Amino acid sequence: VKAAFIRQHGGIEALEVGELPLPTPGPGEVRVKVLYSSLNHLDLWIRGGIPGIHVSFPHILGSDAAGIVDSLGPGTTGFTAGDEVIIHPGLNCGKCPRCLDNWESLCPQYKILGEQVCGTNAEYVCVPAQNLFLKPKKISFQEAAALPLVFTTAWQMLVRRAQIQSGEFVLIHGAGSGVSTAGIQIAKLFQAEIAVTSGSDEKLKRAESLGARHLINYKKQDFGKEVRKLKPGGPDIIFDHVGKDFWEKNIKCIAKGGRLVTCGATSGNQAVTDLNHVFFRQIQIQGSTMGSKLDFPLILSHVEAGSLRPVVDREFPLKDIALAHRRMSEQGQFGKILLSH
Ligand SMILES: [Zn+2]
């Protein structure tokens, strides 16, 4: 079957498109014919290699996908061939205290599809049945493939970790990224006042149409000073995945008792933290990764109702995955980059 994969870690040139054996669904698994998958920043990290994460080659990248149920493994129930489904990329044991408490991403066996195990950039993928959700008819396959990882991540960051409240002031960095386009909409759903940063005026305008009220171009303005003009005490919540480049300013501009929630560090992960600010002003620094499948039906119901909407940037055929990776690494996108299979 056709697949995009890597035989070694490296740059965009490490990506190959070719034929790999058809995977066989194991007990409790479902084989899905993938119609669309989508890119995440994680794909670039995995392609390059992450210290401590072992990958066996050839490795298929990709965490998100939507498609059609093709066949079931032994003893698998709950789905039938032909069902239209969305794949949730969080793999967990389902039995440990963390899983039973619905904090699956803290499970000792937690994995992400496409990270430690082969992912969705292929014609067929096998996943545990508990990772499949029926695709609501109102949601297109393209939207369905765009939403799982970023909406799951942004939901956990804002709702579970920062516990966003109506009327709070939220600063969201990197307005054009998939996770930020999700975060803006979730913050709006909770009736927060939203400021966004981006280095592109065009992306800021588009973020405004998603619900951001205040637009800050960090290349032209000092976002720390700007946000303090907009909200004198500082933002209640900062939603970050930029890391190093913004970190010191995040710590200085956030409100007393504010929650700084981070799910990534695209500009670098070795950042300086002035601890005087952390303790005197009682700042909470919250790490977050992925989220719970428990929240996913609720996210889907909001998408169905139109209050959340996956933002699709552009679509590439799977054979052109290198162009898709290039677009993401150059940060040209607004929202999610899709691959059609
Ligand atoms: Zn577990």
Side-chain angles (χ1 to χ4, degrees):
V1 300
K2 197 170 61 182
F5 53 88
I6 52 171
R7 290 189 195 277
Q8 57 186 31
H9 293 297
I12 288 169
E13 72 288 346
L15 293 164
E16 287 182 42
V17 179
E19 293 286 322
L20 288 179
L22 179 70
T24 307
E29 288 188 340
V30 177
R31 184 165 68 205
V32 177
K33 179 168 172 52
V34 178
L35 298 182
Y36 288 91
S37 60
S38 71
L39 258 63
N40 292 290
H41 221 96
L42 181 65
D43 301 334
L44 308 192
W45 293 115
I46 303 293
R47 194 194 67 218
I50 302 176
I53 292 184
H54 177 76
V55 165
S56 41
F57 299 110
H59 180 73
I60 302 171
L61 297 166
S63 302
D64 288 324
I68 294 168
V69 169
D70 174 61
S71 68
L72 306 184
T76 306
T77 55
F79 292 93
T80 47
D83 283 346
E84 299 181 352
V85 290
I86 307 179
I87 296 176
H88 191 285
L91 304 168
N92 60 300
C93 81
K95 291 174 227 157
C96 74
R98 299 298 202 179
C99 286
L100 296 176
D101 204 23
N102 297 301
W103 280 93
E104 294 115 88
S105 55
L106 291 172
C107 170
Q109 294 179 42
Y110 195 72
K111 295 185 179 81
I112 303 171
L113 208 58
E115 188 181 24
Q116 301 92 337
V117 296
C118 274
T120 57
N121 294 160
E123 222 173 326
Y124 291 91
V125 62
C126 294
V127 295
Q130 61 263 30
N131 285 76
L132 292 186
F133 292 83
L134 288 172
K135 180 182 80 63
K137 289 277 176 234
K138 281 175 78 173
I139 303 177
S140 70
F141 279 106
Q142 286 96 325
E143 290 174 314
L147 73 86
L149 190 143
V150 292
F151 274 90
T152 295
T153 301
W155 189 274
Q156 177 162 294
M157 288 172 78
L158 287 171
V159 182
R160 285 184 174 234
R161 297 295 270 144
Q163 301 191 359
I164 186 170
Q165 304 293 317
S166 169
E168 286 193 305
F169 192 105
V170 183
L171 175 63
I172 296 181
H173 287 309
S177 74
V179 70
S180 292
T181 59
I184 293 163
Q185 295 179 68
I186 293 165
K188 186 185 174 205
L189 189 66
F190 281 80
Q191 298 169 310
E193 185 174 347
I194 305 158
V196 291
T197 67
S198 173
S200 152
D201 289 334
E202 193 196 326
K203 289 183 185 181
L204 288 170
K205 275 286 165 209
R206 297 187 65 181
E208 190 174 27
S209 71
L210 294 178
R213 188 191 295 180
H214 310 289
L215 313 175
I216 304 170
N217 186 323
Y218 66 80
K219 288 185 178 162
K220 298 177 185 167
Q221 296 166 297
D222 179 325
F223 80 78
K225 285 185 185 149
E226 287 304 314
V227 79
R228 281 277 174 134
K229 279 186 215 159
L230 298 166
K231 179 82 197 309
D236 303 296
I237 297 171
I238 298 181
F239 180 102
D240 186 55
H241 45 82
V242 177
K244 185 182 174 184
D245 287 356
F246 288 0
W247 194 255
E248 283 188 82
K249 274 185 192 165
N250 284 340
I251 297 281
K252 282 183 183 150
C253 78
I254 197 166
K256 277 186 177 178
R259 292 89 85 204
L260 169 49
V261 57
T262 169
C263 71
T266 49
S267 70
N269 57 348
Q270 301 288 330
V272 174
T273 304
D274 183 339
L275 292 172
N276 284 341
H277 282 273
V278 176
F279 54 75
F280 279 132
R281 297 199 295 109
Q282 305 186 56
I283 296 164
Q284 299 180 52
I285 298 173
Q286 303 175 326
S288 194
T289 194
M290 299 295 287
S292 175
K293 288 190 276 293
L294 181 74
D295 299 333
F296 201 60
L298 181 59
I299 293 170
L300 288 181
S301 71
H302 284 300
V303 176
E304 243 190 311
S307 47
L308 298 176
R309 184 173 59 86
V311 178
V312 173
D313 170 67
R314 194 176 287 187
E315 197 178 305
F316 294 89
L318 182 62
K319 69 176 174 57
D320 291 338
I321 188 170
L323 296 177
H325 272 236
R326 171 149 294 130
R327 183 162 176 80
M328 176 164 265
S329 62
E330 289 170 352
Q331 299 184 333
Q333 86 277 17
F334 187 87
K336 295 282 288 176
I337 299 171
L338 287 183
L339 296 168
S340 60
H341 290 220

